[in-house]
Amino acid sequence: MRSGGGKVFIGSFTAAGGPGLVIAEVAAQGGALTLVAAVNDVPDPSYLALSPDGGMLYAVSETAEGAVAAYRVDGGRTELAGPSVPVDGSGPTHLSLYAGHVLTANYGCGSVTAVPLRPDGTLAAKPSGRLQHTGSGPHDRRQRGPHAHQVQPDPSGRWAVSVDLGTDSVRVCTLEAGAPTLHRECALRPGSGPRHLAFHPDGERAYVVNELTPTVTVCRWDAAAGSLKPLTEVPLLPGAPAGDAYPSGIVVADGRFVWTATRGEDVLSVLAVEGDGLRLLGTVPCGGHWPRALAEHDGFLYVANERSGDVCWFAVDEATGVPRYDGSVQVAAASCVVFG
């Protein structure tokens, strides 16, 4: 397998003993990671996003107060670029860049916040708007109210989509005067508990991994209308789990395969893309315990195993899509992997 080399950024939970933001390098040949440094300026930087030019890195602070931070990434240095900005929402779990803003998905209170970006990529002093989700679901413990878990732009760049575990829905939004504004709410199966969404490279299909049931919902995405239509729901495991399975991350690379992680089973699932559906090919061990997030880079899958405190990499068979364990590095309470 090949690899292009370069920087890697790993988030972690400092409240659980993590080192904060970890900087690593990926080997020019193969997928091996080498840890280089750690920056502990922000509590619980659990999710990260890199600017398109690679010069800035953004991190949520997944705390009860909730904040977002920006780092300058310059050569061998990664430095905080100003103070953290409160997001007016609790427990932000995800962030992305959209229309000159950083958007955060605030799980605790079920909202999406927009923070403007200055011309130099640093954060404005305060948010420009917030969209509060409403609703609930049938799961008594997990769906008493909204829980926004992810927000990201669609492939066209016209829309932002937010996935809400508490309301079993995906909201399609735009920005109006800097405020996230609802365009349409797309309902998924009640009780499914959607967590994260990944788009197919064709921009016409989307896959939603569900946390409360170990499934993926295959959807048709209409960028012109800003509409998401569920088509089918596919299991992630070959049999019924012994208890709560807690699926987490989802990755689509070249459009032939979809990979997911399931924390309760400590496995990665491999699914083949077949038209408007998916077919489960099988599962492999994740290399550790409690795989929180997945990333793909140059033919390798990377898994942030939160509770075993490591990031594992897997060489992916180009023909079958099956990952093969290739190595790991220790990062306590690892939560996210992003490539520069």
Side-chain angles (χ1 to χ4, degrees):
M1 288 287 182
R2 72 187 189 283
S3 180
K7 280 190 174 181
V8 185
F9 302 95
I10 302 167
S12 70
F13 287 100
T14 57
L21 170 62
V22 175
I23 300 93
E25 293 178 348
V26 60
Q29 298 295 323
L33 300 184
T34 301
L35 303 184
V36 175
V39 182
N40 190 7
D41 295 315
V42 174
D44 294 337
S46 66
Y47 204 87
L48 313 170
L50 199 63
S51 65
D53 65 4
M56 298 292 292
L57 182 75
Y58 305 94
V60 296
S61 179
E62 191 177 333
T63 60
E65 298 79 13
V68 62
Y71 292 87
R72 286 191 180 87
V73 181
D74 181 16
R77 303 172 67 185
T78 301
E79 296 180 332
L80 200 61
S84 298
V85 177
V87 296
D88 192 25
S90 61
T93 55
H94 191 270
L95 81 169
S96 62
L97 277 66
Y98 171 69
H101 294 69
V102 169
L103 302 183
T104 67
N106 309 316
Y107 180 85
C109 60
S111 65
V112 171
T113 298
V115 179
L117 292 174
R118 298 187 176 112
D120 63 356
T122 58
L123 298 167
K126 62 181 181 178
S128 55
R130 184 173 74 98
L131 174 65
Q132 177 62 54
H133 294 183
T134 59
S136 60
H139 193 291
D140 180 62
R141 183 171 57 88
R142 301 291 306 280
Q143 294 185 312
R144 295 177 182 175
H147 293 296
H149 213 302
Q150 183 201 39
V151 62
Q152 65 174 317
D154 84 304
S156 75
R158 179 178 177 185
W159 311 101
V161 295
S162 61
V163 182
D164 195 300
L165 184 149
T167 64
D168 292 317
S169 60
V170 176
R171 287 168 175 80
V172 182
C173 307
T174 59
L175 284 179
E176 293 184 7
T181 304
L182 181 64
H183 167 69
R184 181 172 298 174
E185 183 176 359
C186 306
L188 302 183
R189 181 177 59 80
S192 56
R195 178 182 172 94
H196 274 209
L197 177 153
F199 286 99
H200 189 277
D202 68 8
E204 297 179 354
R205 286 167 286 180
Y207 307 100
V208 183
V209 65
N210 299 307
E211 181 170 336
L212 299 183
T213 53
T215 61
V216 169
T217 303
V218 182
C219 303
R220 174 67 61 183
W221 170 246
D222 184 342
S227 175
L228 190 75
K229 179 183 178 182
L231 301 175
T232 186
E233 196 170 337
V234 181
L236 295 178
L237 303 172
D244 291 337
Y246 300 105
S248 54
I250 184 166
V251 165
V252 185
D254 65 4
R256 296 183 300 134
F257 301 102
V258 173
W259 299 274
T260 66
T262 299
R263 289 167 291 177
E265 300 287 310
D266 287 335
V267 297
L268 309 179
S269 297
V270 186
L271 301 105
V273 175
E274 296 182 342
D276 283 338
L278 292 173
R279 178 169 56 91
L280 178 64
L281 299 179
T283 63
V284 299
C286 70
H289 180 36
W290 210 251
R292 183 177 177 88
L294 288 177
E296 190 277 340
H297 181 72
D298 280 340
F300 285 82
L301 275 181
Y302 295 81
V303 185
N305 291 312
E306 181 183 349
R307 293 185 180 175
S308 56
D310 49 56
V311 175
C312 300
W313 54 92
F314 296 75
V316 176
D317 187 289
E318 294 183 3
T320 67
V322 175
R324 174 182 55 79
Y325 177 84
D326 207 43
S328 69
V329 291
Q330 294 297 304
V331 178
S335 60
C336 174
V337 183
V338 171
F339 287 82

